[in-house]
């Protein structure tokens, strides 16, 4: 939104499930290096928007541009290969596989073995708890650790854009705070991030800008500080 080059441009994005219009023509832009949130009530269409961008739901080609190229409707693995990764709601780690094996799965689109090893070392530096548990099966991790693993696994694909769907889901406040510290650190290291979050206050406190979704449409967008100050946002999403 600021002066940076747009990395993600969404124009008139529509998602329907049979007769239900879940996303009704959304426009949004995420600049390279930005940390942007998408907030809104249950059922507003946040997850559908992320899934559509990530190639998991059918959309028109021109409705999603990644780094200037139309990629709408491209398959998810092709988008991962181009540098666009989704961390899904509910994390989606493979519970029977070890932490190390889950991380190896994250790099499946890559063939550059040496830099994969270097990235693994970087991920373990960011999340030392995962290093300690690298041989443990993912299903035995705590909820917070599983969320860390899901983020780490996505980082192993070397994303330029990371889409995060409700990273705070089901986690205790202290754990949520830690997860958001990690999100901020990942952004600081240069990964552009679009995060869907129920906890609007926390999201707006850490993000540069935000979009508010209502019934499948953008009702407001702007700098996060301005949204935190907006009366309608405060009443509807910050419980004031
Ligand atoms: P939440 O925070 O509860 O996940 P959300 O803002 O992410 O909500 P979506 O999950 O995108 O919202 O849902 C938007 C609308 O689409 C809702 O009305 C929902 O019931 C509907 N919907 C979502 N997934 C499907 C599906 N697979 N089939 C039919 N309808 C769906």
């Amino acid at each position: 939104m600021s002066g940076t080059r747009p990395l993600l441009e969404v124009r008139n994005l529509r998602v329907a499930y049979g007769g239900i219009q879940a996303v009704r023509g959304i426009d949004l832009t995420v600049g390279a290096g930005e940390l942007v949130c998408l907030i809104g009530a249950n059922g507003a269409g946040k997850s559908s928007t992320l899934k559509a961008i990530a190639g998991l739901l059918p959309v028109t080609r021109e409705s999603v541009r990644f780094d200037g190229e139309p990629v709408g409707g491209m398959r998810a693995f092709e988008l991962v290969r181009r540098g666009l990764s989704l961390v899904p709601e509910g994390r989606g780690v493979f519970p029977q596989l070890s932490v190390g094996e889950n991380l190896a799965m994250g790099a499946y689109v890559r063939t550059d073995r040496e830099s994969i090893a270097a990235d693994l070392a970087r991920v373990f530096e960011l999340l030392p708890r995962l290093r300690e548990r690298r041989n443990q099966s993912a299903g035995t991790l705590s909820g917070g650790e599983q969320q860390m693993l899901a983020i780490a696994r996505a980082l192993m694909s070397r994303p330029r854009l990371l889409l995060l769907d409700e990273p705070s889901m089901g986690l205790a406040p202290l754990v949520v705070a830690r997860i958001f510290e990690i999100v901020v650190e990942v952004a600081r290291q240069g990964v552009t991030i679009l995060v869907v979050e129920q906890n609007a206050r926390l999201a707006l406190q850490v993000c540069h800008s935000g979009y508010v979704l209502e019934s499948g449409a953008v009702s407001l967008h702007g700098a996060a500080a301005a949204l935190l100050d907006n009366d309608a946002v405060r009443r509807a999403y910050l419980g004031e």
Side-chain angles (χ1 to χ4, degrees):
M1 282 183 65
S2 51
T4 62
R5 178 176 59 87
L7 186 60
L8 175 71
E9 293 167 280
V10 170
R11 294 289 169 262
N12 196 22
L13 183 80
R14 292 171 186 276
V15 174
Y17 300 102
I20 300 170
Q21 285 285 330
V23 178
R24 304 162 183 266
I26 285 181
D27 288 353
L28 63 86
T29 303
V30 180
E34 282 188 323
L35 174 49
V36 177
C37 62
L38 198 55
I39 60 173
N42 280 326
K46 306 180 298 296
S47 292
S48 301
T49 300
L50 278 202
K51 284 185 197 156
I53 295 169
L56 299 174
L57 294 171
V59 293
T60 63
R61 189 173 140 79
E62 289 295 333
S63 57
V64 184
R65 281 183 175 259
F66 180 54
D67 208 6
E69 266 192 75
V71 298
M74 211 172 251
R75 284 188 292 180
F77 78 88
E78 175 58 23
L79 291 168
V80 172
R81 210 177 55 75
R82 287 171 181 241
L84 190 161
S85 284
L86 169 72
V87 179
E89 190 172 350
R91 294 141 209 162
V93 299
F94 302 107
Q96 318 287 352
L97 299 186
S98 70
V99 167
E101 287 163 340
N102 268 276
L103 292 172
M105 298 290 282
Y108 77 103
V109 291
R110 298 172 54 186
T111 49
D112 46 337
R113 292 288 138 204
E114 269 171 34
S115 45
I116 291 175
D119 286 348
L120 186 62
R122 264 223 317 260
V123 160
F124 282 150
E125 206 167 297
L126 176 70
L127 298 160
R129 229 189 268 190
L130 294 182
R131 189 201 313 264
E132 291 161 21
R133 290 162 174 73
R134 64 192 298 172
N135 297 317
Q136 191 171 322
S137 57
T140 63
L141 297 177
S142 71
E145 289 161 355
Q146 288 191 22
Q147 183 63 61
M148 289 176 201
L149 176 57
I151 293 172
R153 186 179 58 182
L155 290 177
M156 289 304 296
S157 69
R158 262 210 185 174
R160 287 181 286 156
L161 174 65
L162 195 58
L163 306 176
L164 294 173
D165 198 352
E166 299 222 13
S168 75
M169 170 97 106
L171 302 178
L174 271 179
V175 181
V176 172
R178 175 71 192 123
I179 295 293
F180 269 82
E181 278 173 18
I182 293 162
V183 170
V184 168
E185 178 57 23
V186 170
R188 206 192 55 76
Q189 292 181 5
V191 180
T192 304
I193 299 179
L194 176 61
V195 55
V196 158
E197 188 45 60
Q198 279 283 334
N199 187 333
R201 183 184 305 277
L202 182 58
L204 291 171
Q205 279 167 348
V206 303
C207 287
H208 304 126
S209 62
Y211 286 80
V212 180
L213 227 57
E214 263 176 55
S215 308
V218 173
S219 60
L220 274 172
H221 73 105
L227 291 175
L228 272 174
D229 232 19
N230 179 291
D231 280 342
V233 172
R234 295 173 81 101
R235 274 196 305 273
Y237 305 107
L238 306 180
E240 292 181 4

